[in-house]
Amino acid sequence: LTHRGIIPVEDSHCVSGCGAVESAQHVFISCSIFGSLWPLVSSWVGSSMVTAQTLSDHFVQFTTSAGGTRARRSFMQLIWLACVWVVWTERNHRLFGGSANSSLLMLDKIKTFSFRWLKAKSCTLALNCHSWWSSPLLCLGLV
């Protein structure tokens, strides 16, 4: 929007308050606020940290960080998409609603969304929400 002259340059800063110019790469990976979510998610799912600097590389590294089986990659894709969804909606809530959630609350939303998405895909899937929050790979039999 700045590039096209729709908004002035001074209004193009990240809504997290970190002071950087907003871009997709910044918001989803390198922002000190939104980017701090990735280590929390990696810790939750028990995967290694991703150090990629582009969105496409981040997606590939993240989805393979929990191991190489197809089921694990599918699970990690679901988690990556849930993260992106939560960050994007949080960004919009901050921009348009003036509200801000902590990284821990955003992590809770990722856990909730991913659980609900899996349950919606397979209503016969025997998942316990509390177990999901503590060990999602174990719940899916991927450990």
Side-chain angles (χ1 to χ4, degrees):
L1 295 176
T2 302
H3 180 70
R4 293 182 179 177
I6 296 170
I7 62 171
V9 175
E10 58 271 9
D11 290 341
S12 65
H13 289 88
C14 181
V15 298
S16 72
C18 68
V21 173
E22 185 177 83
S23 68
Q25 179 137 331
H26 170 76
V27 170
F28 294 113
I29 297 175
S30 58
C31 176
S32 59
I33 304 301
F34 297 130
S36 68
L37 194 54
W38 293 108
L40 296 173
V41 171
S42 293
S43 177
W44 170 55
V45 297
S47 68
S48 58
M49 274 298 300
V50 174
T51 59
Q53 298 302 310
T54 66
L55 282 171
S56 58
D57 288 347
H58 192 276
F59 176 77
V60 170
Q61 282 186 16
F62 186 84
T63 57
T64 59
S65 65
T69 68
R70 185 174 187 267
R72 282 179 177 241
R73 284 192 312 271
S74 291
F75 164 73
M76 294 300 281
Q77 288 171 358
L78 170 83
I79 299 302
W80 194 87
L81 292 170
C83 291
V84 169
W85 174 254
V86 167
V87 168
W88 186 250
T89 56
E90 176 65 21
R91 177 234 177 244
N92 288 340
H93 285 194
R94 288 177 185 218
L95 181 62
F96 301 115
S99 62
N101 291 311
S102 69
S103 294
L104 290 176
L105 189 54
M106 287 187 281
L107 176 63
D108 288 349
K109 287 182 178 190
I110 291 164
K111 292 175 180 181
T112 301
F113 282 129
S114 59
F115 178 79
R116 288 180 181 167
W117 290 349
L118 278 171
K119 288 294 277 188
K121 176 83 171 136
S122 176
C123 51
T124 60
L125 193 58
L127 286 180
N128 175 302
C129 186
H130 299 292
S131 298
W132 180 256
W133 279 49
S134 62
S135 184
L137 287 173
L138 184 61
C139 285
L140 295 174
L142 298 174
V143 177

